[in-house]
Amino acid sequence: MAAYLQWRRFVFFDRETLKEPPGPDGAGGKPFALPPGIAVCDSGRGSLVFGDILRETAGIWFLPRSLQLSSFQAYKLRVTHLYQLKQHSILVSVGEDEEGINPLVKVWNLEKRDGGNPLCTRIFPAIPGNKPTVVSCLTVHENLNFMAIGFADGSVVLTKGDITRDRHSKTQILHEGSYPITGLAFRQSGKTTHLFVVTTENIQSYMLSVKDYPHLELDTHGCGLRCSSLSDPSQDLQFIVAGNECVYLYQPDERGPCFAFEGQKLIVHWYRGYLIIVSKDRKTSPKSDFAGNEAQNSDKQVLNIYDLCNKFIAYSSIFDDIVDVLAEWGSLYVLTRDGKIHVLQEKDTQTKLEMLFRKNLFEMAINLAKSHHLDSDGLSEIFRQYGDHLYNKGNHDGAIQQYIRTIGKLEPSYVIRKFLDAQRIHNLTAYLQTLHLQSLANADHTTLLLNCYTKLKDSSKLEEFIKTSESEVRFDVETAIKVLRQAGYYSHAVYLAEKHAHHEWYLKIQLEDIKNYQEALHYIGKLPFDQAESNMKRYGKILMHHVPNETTELLKILCTDYRPSGDNEGSGMLEGKKANSEEFIPVFANNPRELKAFLEHMTEVQADSPQGVYDTLLELRLQNWAHEQDEQIKEKLHNEALTLLKSGRFKTVFDKALVLCQMHNFKDGVLYLYEQGKLFQQIMHYHMQNEQYKKVIEVCELYGDQEACLWEQALSYFARKEEDCKEYIAAVLKHIENKNLMPPLLVVQTLAHNSTATLSVIKDYLVNKLQKQSRQIEQDEQRIQKYREETTRIRQEIEELKASPKIFQKTKCSICTSALELPSVHFLCGHSFHQHCFESYSESDSECPTCMPENRKVMDMIRAQEQKRDLHDQFQHQLKCSNDGFSVVADYFGRGVFNKLTLITDLPSGKAAATIEAGLQRELLIHTKRGT
């Protein structure tokens, strides 16, 4: 029970008296007055409706907003009750046409006219049974299917069906009792219809949507006439009953809350969430039992407007003898017995809020704003003002609660600046927590909140904050990790980094702060391939320094067949990935032993490893071989390095491998690479540098056929030696002599530099050479004699051809070898042809097709000699006349003049080698060779 004496009073309504509209002359401003005799009234459909009790008029009056009063006579004696429907232009009235107790109910259709008056669609007597009685109250359902009439004898008549027509409705007695009916109200909830019936002594509820209309007694006390009403949905359509001590609210099946509003209640209405009660002033005399208000017409009456939801009195004022309170056009109209109408206009929401602000009633302002459905921006402004008020009073705890309610509307920096003081850090923490819970925090807010936790050393709150549900993270994770790391909360930072897959931050903290290298390495092994690869490149050196064996093993897996260690379900289904092993070689910068193991593993399991792997492995083996002191181990390392060289993996990087072997003075490797690269002169020079004479001879014997200059270099090398090298010089000279590699004069000049070489060394060489040349001269002279004899014979044949006839005795064609037939063609060379064969194969009519190829070769050689002779003369002339002889020589070299002339000749098949043409060819070739 709430005592209204504790409720604050406000003036949320403006009161004024209704004035007459200005007339044609502009005059007006007088208080509007109703005609005398007005006893009942109602409102709806844009008009105030009044009924009088004067016998002369017995009319119903309509007052529209234009204040042009109109009326018509509805009854002959008086109008006792009116009910104007809000959703239909239907008016129901109760009045009397005859003396005595004979009330009539009339239903008026205000939209239809009958002789200028509203159309009366139905008339029926209001009599419960056969016993006439006075009508005490009336109510009509808005769906026009129910009408209830209460009587002073305690009866209630219910009309069901279309209330505007007699045919479609049925009237029956719903309730009978011994106490007068003082109030009726229909309540519609979904498809369920209830009728509240209140008497002076009890309250009942009837369910009209169920057959037989079951009822329930809600309370054992009632109220006077017009002291009940039905609330709107804001109060859940509760039935309001105003007793003298309390006001009760009822649901169809139970009693609700009650309010201790003392005083004799005369009128009760519900208007827009307000409860309007007209009661007698406390100075007045006691109440009457039933309808006693008419006995005290001159008393002062108090009109109170209550806000039950927010628990304050919105308006309170004293009036003289109120007839009723009506609601229309957004205002309240108070009708007094003197015919005046007083208008109560509700102030707008902003004005009411400002009034509350001036009194610092912020809680009440907030409740009022919510009940008026103020938007979130307006509410937020109220919360801000309330928070500012509490902050200025020093109530920081209360202020922060109000500021929290502004989140989402008020800029957070406005609040944060107020609470940055260290003494208010717990308030700031509360605000920032809520800001994060609503997912409205940015990175700066996260930083600030975590700093607050660390300043307060509140580890439990810190853990609760960071261990939010995975589906909804309300803060910037990376920022939180940074702050926690900076504050030294490494375990919390690592937890966040691992939970939200911030791999880089996890590894940074583990390696740089916690120094837990083993755990960091294990974590990398659980990452997807791409991230594991990038992190091993970044942190591999650190891990290799502290946990070399484990790091090497992970790198082996990463570069061969990597699957995340934690992915047990999908590891067998997905094909493993592998990284480029060459890219991880820098990781082993200071760990040669692990590097060697890694590289050897890669070359064993992955033969197509990058070239850099083999290069590095070779360099590593050569280094180990060069620095090893133990002979047995050194021999083993020597074999390993040489085996690697012979694996065939260094063909594309021959130079690099050669440089590595030379740097480490790996003799066998250098020689092997020279041999593979066909660098025979380098092999020989290598042996020359080491003065290995036998090796020099062996190289010449092995590779001299492929590169003849090796023997010449060997001769020069031995010729420069001051030691006794006669044995080696003799061997070289023998080979030079057999292969005719050097002119004798050049051999003599080369050996002239050796002081130990005597004539006996080259005696045999010179003798053999001279003997060979002598034999060659003899052979040449014999050949010359032979060519001269052949030339003489040929000249004789030419003379014979010129002087004597030629007899052609050929019997076969020289082309087809068939018997020769006329017509035929004969040449002086002795060849004969069928005419058709000659025409088919001959390129010229004057040349023999058989002899023409050989003749052309001879002619070409002759022209070449003549051209060369001409070029020689021209070259000599230009060389003598030019100022720059070198440019002339260079020009002729560029034109290919000094290129060696090579002619390849093929003898025709079936032709004897001793023919005249062959002899001429040989003679020309000999002369050409001698000329060059």
Side-chain angles (χ1 to χ4, degrees):
M1 181 179 294
Y4 83 100
L5 293 175
Q6 300 174 355
W7 290 16
R8 286 184 173 270
R9 295 174 181 267
F10 301 99
V11 184
F12 284 165
F13 287 81
D14 294 324
R15 173 180 173 177
E16 63 180 6
T17 303
L18 188 65
K19 306 289 184 179
E20 291 184 355
D25 56 354
K30 295 181 181 180
F32 184 87
L34 289 171
I38 298 297
V40 293
C41 57
D42 203 353
S43 63
R45 307 300 293 177
S47 296
L48 304 181
V49 186
F50 308 100
D52 63 38
I53 58 174
L54 298 178
R55 181 185 296 270
E56 294 79 9
T57 57
I60 296 177
W61 300 79
F62 295 95
L63 181 64
R65 196 165 192 175
S66 61
L67 303 183
Q68 300 297 324
L69 193 62
S70 62
S71 68
F72 71 94
Q73 187 171 359
Y75 295 89
K76 295 179 180 179
L77 293 181
R78 66 184 62 83
V79 180
T80 59
H81 296 83
L82 289 174
Y83 193 93
Q84 172 66 57
L85 276 79
K86 302 300 184 287
Q87 300 178 11
H88 302 277
S89 295
I90 300 295
L91 176 66
V92 180
S93 62
V94 179
E96 298 176 358
D97 284 341
E98 300 174 356
E99 292 290 346
I101 303 175
N102 190 20
L104 288 176
V105 178
K106 295 184 178 181
V107 181
W108 308 90
N109 189 333
L110 303 181
E111 293 181 346
K112 297 181 180 180
R113 294 290 168 177
D114 181 15
N117 296 330
L119 176 64
C120 182
T121 62
R122 183 180 181 186
I123 302 175
F124 63 93
I127 299 175
N130 300 322
K131 182 173 61 175
T133 183
V134 175
V135 174
S136 60
C137 55
L138 167 71
T139 186
V140 181
H141 199 291
E142 286 293 333
N143 63 12
L144 301 178
N145 287 327
F146 293 102
M147 179 169 60
I149 303 172
F151 296 91
D153 66 351
S155 301
V156 175
V157 174
L158 176 68
T159 300
K160 183 179 180 182
D162 189 352
I163 65 169
T164 63
R165 299 183 182 181
D166 290 325
R167 293 181 183 179
H168 301 89
S169 62
K170 179 181 178 181
T171 302
Q172 68 184 86
I173 297 175
L174 179 68
H175 173 82
E176 290 182 328
S178 56
Y179 302 109
I181 305 300
T182 57
L184 297 169
F186 287 107
R187 182 183 188 272
Q188 186 71 39
S189 177
K191 295 183 179 180
T192 304
T193 305
H194 289 89
L195 174 64
F196 290 101
V197 178
V198 57
T199 68
T200 55
E201 300 298 333
N202 59 29
I203 303 169
Q204 299 188 45
S205 128
Y206 285 83
M207 184 181 291
L208 304 182
S209 53
V210 178
K211 190 178 180 180
D212 298 334
Y213 308 137
H215 69 280
L216 178 68
E217 185 175 11
L218 300 177
D219 217 333
T220 56
H221 57 79
C223 65
L225 280 173
R226 301 194 297 173
C227 291
S228 63
S229 182
L230 189 71
S231 69
D232 59 19
S234 67
Q235 280 291 334
D236 199 18
L237 297 174
Q238 296 186 91
F239 187 56
I240 301 171
V241 177
N244 289 337
E245 291 81 15
C246 295
V247 173
Y248 299 92
L249 278 68
Y250 296 92
Q251 293 283 357
D253 54 354
E254 62 180 354
R255 191 177 82 176
C258 64
F259 299 90
F261 300 149
E262 296 180 356
Q264 183 181 352
K265 314 301 187 300
L266 303 177
I267 301 172
V268 174
H269 285 293
W270 186 268
Y271 168 73
R272 291 187 176 181
Y274 292 111
L275 175 63
I276 302 169
I277 296 180
V278 178
S279 59
K280 283 190 175 183
D281 193 6
R282 293 182 180 180
K283 300 177 182 179
T284 62
S285 58
K287 68 171 183 174
S288 61
D289 290 338
F290 177 70
N293 53 322
E294 295 183 1
Q296 304 290 337
N297 289 336
S298 60
D299 292 341
K300 296 288 184 181
Q301 297 172 352
V302 179
L303 184 147
N304 288 319
I305 301 177
Y306 298 96
D307 188 331
L308 299 184
C309 181
N310 298 312
K311 294 183 174 53
F312 63 80
I313 300 174
Y315 184 76
S316 181
S317 183
I318 297 177
F319 292 86
D320 291 330
D321 202 0
I322 297 175
V323 177
D324 208 343
V325 180
L326 305 176
E328 194 66 26
W329 310 310
S331 301
L332 290 174
Y333 295 87
V334 182
L335 174 63
T336 56
R337 192 69 61 184
D338 57 5
K340 294 182 180 180
I341 299 177
H342 303 273
V343 183
L344 297 180
Q345 179 66 46
E346 186 179 8
K347 298 179 185 293
D348 62 85
T349 303
Q350 190 59 40
T351 301
K352 290 188 284 187
L353 291 175
E354 290 175 357
M355 295 171 64
L356 295 174
F357 293 158
R358 286 194 292 270
K359 296 181 180 181
N360 294 327
L361 299 175
F362 292 99
E363 285 287 355
M364 192 169 289
I366 292 168
N367 296 331
L368 179 66
K370 289 180 178 179
S371 63
H372 283 67
H373 305 291
L374 196 66
D375 60 13
S376 57
D377 292 334
L379 280 172
S380 177
E381 179 59 23
I382 298 174
F383 296 144
R384 184 196 65 79
Q385 294 187 35
Y386 190 16
D388 291 346
H389 169 70
L390 295 175
Y391 182 84
N392 293 331
K393 288 176 62 177
N395 184 1
H396 298 128
D397 294 340
I400 203 66
Q401 293 304 317
Q402 299 307 316
Y403 287 135
I404 286 174
R405 301 167 80 177
T406 66
I407 290 176
K409 299 296 181 182
L410 182 63
E411 175 62 35
S413 59
Y414 177 86
V415 180
I416 293 172
R417 284 195 297 267
K418 291 177 176 290
F419 291 89
L420 283 178
D421 189 355
Q423 295 179 352
R424 301 167 193 165
I425 193 170
H426 63 282
N427 300 126
L428 180 59
T429 304
Y431 178 81
L432 293 172
Q433 280 178 340
T434 309
L435 197 65
H436 282 80
L437 286 174
Q438 298 186 18
S439 301
L440 295 174
N442 57 28
D444 294 332
H445 299 147
T446 302
T447 302
L448 190 56
L449 176 59
L450 293 172
N451 283 328
C452 289
Y453 284 140
T454 55
K455 293 289 185 183
L456 294 172
K457 300 187 183 302
D458 193 346
S459 298
S460 60
K461 284 286 186 181
L462 183 59
E463 289 187 6
E464 180 183 352
F465 174 73
I466 66 175
K467 293 182 179 179
T468 53
S469 62
E470 296 182 4
S471 59
E472 185 177 6
V473 180
R474 301 184 178 91
F475 56 89
D476 185 79
V477 176
E478 187 170 358
T479 301
I481 294 172
K482 291 180 182 177
V483 176
L484 291 170
R485 184 189 184 196
Q486 185 177 6
Y489 286 81
Y490 301 130
S491 60
H492 296 79
V494 164
Y495 170 81
L496 274 182
E498 183 176 10
K499 179 181 178 182
H500 299 285
H502 285 262
H503 310 309
E504 294 184 8
W505 283 108
Y506 180 91
L507 294 172
K508 276 185 180 179
I509 298 170
Q510 288 283 20
L511 296 174
E512 299 175 10
D513 301 319
I514 304 178
K515 310 292 186 183
N516 192 343
Y517 305 103
Q518 193 71 42
E519 186 62 33
L521 190 65
H522 178 68
Y523 184 83
I524 293 175
K526 297 189 295 183
L527 297 179
F529 172 77
D530 294 335
Q531 296 173 359
E533 181 184 22
S534 62
N535 282 294
M536 283 304 295
K537 290 178 181 178
R538 180 174 301 176
Y539 302 110
K541 289 185 179 179
I542 299 176
L543 293 170
M544 184 62 68
H545 178 71
H546 293 90
V547 282
N549 295 331
E550 294 82 353
T551 305
T552 304
E553 290 303 317
L554 179 58
L555 285 175
K556 289 179 181 179
I557 298 173
L558 187 64
C559 296
T560 51
D561 186 18
Y562 177 78
R563 292 180 177 86
S565 59
D567 189 14
N568 294 326
E569 295 181 1
S571 60
M573 300 174 61
L574 298 176
E575 183 179 353
K577 297 182 178 180
K578 57 183 179 181
N580 186 349
S581 53
E582 184 177 2
E583 296 177 356
F584 293 97
I585 292 175
V587 172
F588 298 88
N590 298 316
N591 298 76
R593 183 173 60 85
E594 286 76 15
L595 175 60
K596 184 172 181 288
F598 172 73
L599 296 176
E600 289 177 348
H601 173 78
M602 292 308 302
T603 56
E604 290 174 3
V605 302
Q606 190 174 319
D608 59 343
S609 294
Q611 185 60 44
V613 172
Y614 287 92
D615 296 345
T616 308
L617 181 58
L618 176 62
E619 183 177 3
L620 200 60
R621 288 184 175 179
L622 291 175
Q623 286 179 356
N624 294 340
W625 172 82
H627 295 91
E628 183 59 49
Q629 301 297 326
D630 190 306
E631 290 299 328
Q632 293 182 352
I633 299 177
K634 192 177 184 72
E635 180 64 23
K636 180 181 177 182
L637 294 174
H638 173 277
N639 295 333
E640 289 178 355
L642 194 58
T643 302
L644 182 61
L645 275 176
K646 294 181 179 181
S647 63
R649 296 294 306 184
F650 299 93
K651 294 179 180 179
T652 57
V653 289
F654 174 83
D655 295 339
K656 185 174 183 180
L658 183 59
V659 169
L660 288 174
C661 292
Q662 290 173 341
M663 286 174 55
H664 296 88
N665 196 23
F666 189 57
K667 171 184 173 182
D668 292 345
V670 171
L671 294 176
Y672 172 77
L673 292 173
Y674 281 159
E675 182 179 357
Q676 292 298 111
K678 296 185 178 181
L679 302 176
F680 306 126
Q681 295 187 36
Q682 280 80 353
I683 296 175
M684 190 170 69
H685 290 164
Y686 180 85
H687 292 308
M688 290 178 178
Q689 291 174 358
N690 293 296
E691 296 185 350
Q692 297 175 336
Y693 303 148
K694 291 183 179 180
K695 292 290 185 181
V696 172
I697 299 299
E698 289 177 3
V699 170
C700 292
E701 291 175 348
L702 287 174
Y703 311 115
D705 294 339
Q706 302 179 46
E707 199 163 346
C709 64
L710 294 178
W711 291 103
E712 299 176 9
Q713 295 177 12
L715 182 62
S716 300
Y717 169 73
F718 289 123
R720 289 193 300 270
K721 289 295 180 181
E722 296 300 327
E723 303 174 9
D724 187 5
C725 298
K726 294 179 181 181
E727 179 184 354
Y728 304 109
I729 293 175
V732 172
L733 287 176
K734 182 178 180 181
H735 193 85
I736 290 175
E737 178 185 354
N738 294 336
K739 298 293 185 178
N740 195 21
L741 299 177
M742 293 176 65
L745 184 59
L746 184 58
V747 172
V748 174
Q749 291 176 350
T750 302
L751 292 177
H753 299 290
N754 191 330
S755 59
T756 61
T758 59
L759 185 59
S760 60
V761 176
I762 60 172
K763 174 183 177 182
D764 295 337
Y765 168 77
L766 292 177
V767 170
N768 293 334
K769 199 67 178 173
L770 291 174
Q771 289 176 352
K772 286 183 179 180
Q773 288 182 355
S774 298
R775 287 193 294 270
Q776 185 65 40
I777 292 172
E778 291 177 359
Q779 292 176 0
D780 291 342
E781 287 178 350
Q782 293 175 0
R783 195 175 291 115
I784 290 170
Q785 183 62 34
K786 181 180 177 182
Y787 288 156
R788 284 176 179 173
E789 293 175 356
E790 288 181 358
T791 302
T792 302
R793 182 178 56 80
I794 292 171
R795 285 176 179 172
Q796 290 176 359
E797 289 180 359
I798 292 172
E799 290 298 329
E800 289 178 0
L801 289 174
K802 290 180 179 180
S804 59
K806 177 70 172 177
I807 299 173
F808 301 102
Q809 297 177 344
K810 286 281 187 178
T811 60
K812 291 184 179 182
C813 176
S814 299
I815 294 177
C816 66
T817 68
S818 299
L820 196 62
E821 297 176 356
L822 296 177
S824 60
V825 179
H826 303 276
F827 286 91
L828 295 176
C829 62
H831 296 111
S832 298
F833 308 94
H834 292 116
Q835 185 175 355
H836 62 274
C837 291
F838 174 76
E839 291 175 353
S840 299
Y841 292 95
S842 175
E843 296 180 7
S844 175
D845 293 342
S846 59
E847 292 187 74
C848 172
T850 303
C851 299
M852 185 176 62
E854 293 297 329
N855 294 338
R856 284 189 178 180
K857 289 181 180 180
V858 174
M859 295 304 296
D860 289 341
M861 286 187 284
I862 295 172
R863 281 194 295 269
Q865 288 180 344
E866 291 177 351
Q867 183 182 6
K868 193 169 183 180
R869 183 170 59 250
D870 295 340
L871 285 173
H872 177 74
D873 296 339
Q874 184 181 358
F875 171 70
Q876 293 293 338
H877 176 72
Q878 289 184 3
L879 192 60
K880 291 178 180 178
C881 298
S882 175
N883 294 327
D884 187 1
F886 180 77
S887 62
V888 174
V889 175
D891 179 57
Y892 273 82
F893 263 109
R895 288 156 57 185
V897 174
F898 299 108
N899 291 349
K900 184 177 181 181
L901 179 62
T902 303
L903 294 177
I904 301 175
T905 60
D906 294 326
L907 292 176
S909 60
K911 189 166 180 71
T915 60
I916 300 173
E917 290 82 5
L920 290 174
Q921 180 183 358
R922 286 193 298 272
E923 186 175 0
L924 287 172
L925 286 174
I926 292 171
H927 287 297
T928 301
K929 189 172 182 181
R930 288 178 177 175
T932 57

